[in-house]
Amino acid sequence: MLKKILVIHGPNLNLLGQREPAVYGRITLKQINNELIKVAKKKKVNLKIVQSNHEGEIVDLIGKSKAKYSALLINPAAYTHTSVAIRDAIAAANMLTVEVHLSNIYSREEFRQKSLISPVVQGTIMGFGAKSYILGLEALLDLIHK
Ligand code: DQA
């Protein structure tokens, strides 16, 4: 059976392409998703990709994901720095999870220089723009096949 990986994009990532291009570049979410799908096809895994601006919706999604998916790739966006609820949902799901960020959060404003999510995931990849997602997916695939 094909493995299924859940990809979650957090708040405002739907605006990529127009949003703060000096920080996030010109690439759109659709282009990032297409790149991810290309890699997934090559590696023979299925992706379910969701973008949400709502914390509770992301919590619900993670809560239901353990039964359906082999692993989680998540950019929690602004919730990275604030959401105990998303952190707890990931810890409770206890599934292989990689956190990604387009930007290097440690080179930005002080309020971004902490991730509540990093302590409950296998690893975090940041600072490589859209490539962070591809590296994150590849890292997850390695973990799944271990
Ligand atoms: C982000 C970094 C966050 O601080 C920010 O709120 C985002 C995007 C990133 O991918 O670099 O929305 O997660």
Side-chain angles (χ1 to χ4, degrees), residues 16-125:
L16 285 177
Q18 335 148 20
R19 174 192 180 203
E20 298 182 82
V23 178
Y24 300 116
R26 289 271 174 209
I27 194 160
T28 63
L29 194 61
K30 195 164 190 237
Q31 287 170 321
I32 291 176
N33 289 340
N34 286 340
E35 291 298 313
L36 286 171
I37 291 164
K38 247 194 255 166
V39 174
K41 274 198 181 137
K42 229 187 270 170
K43 306 277 183 168
K44 300 196 175 1
V45 291
N46 265 330
L47 299 184
K48 164 79 177 169
I49 304 178
V50 182
Q51 190 277 326
S52 175
N53 294 325
H54 304 281
E55 186 176 19
E57 196 177 357
I58 295 173
V59 169
D60 281 345
L61 200 60
I62 295 170
K64 287 184 211 139
S65 65
K66 177 117 178 118
K68 288 198 209 152
Y69 303 99
S70 313
L72 170 66
L73 181 69
I74 184 166
N75 182 348
Y79 290 138
T80 305
H81 321 294
T82 63
S83 182
V84 176
I86 293 176
R87 174 201 172 110
D88 287 353
I90 293 172
N94 193 28
M95 62 197 289
L96 293 172
T97 301
V98 169
E99 171 192 4
V100 298
H101 299 283
L102 296 144
S103 64
N104 175 353
I105 60 174
Y106 296 101
S107 69
R108 299 186 61 195
E109 303 96 322
E110 208 178 331
F111 66 86
R112 292 184 206 277
Q113 293 179 15
K114 180 167 177 68
S115 169
L116 299 185
I117 309 301
S118 291
V120 295
V121 300
Q122 268 63 41
T124 303
I125 296 173

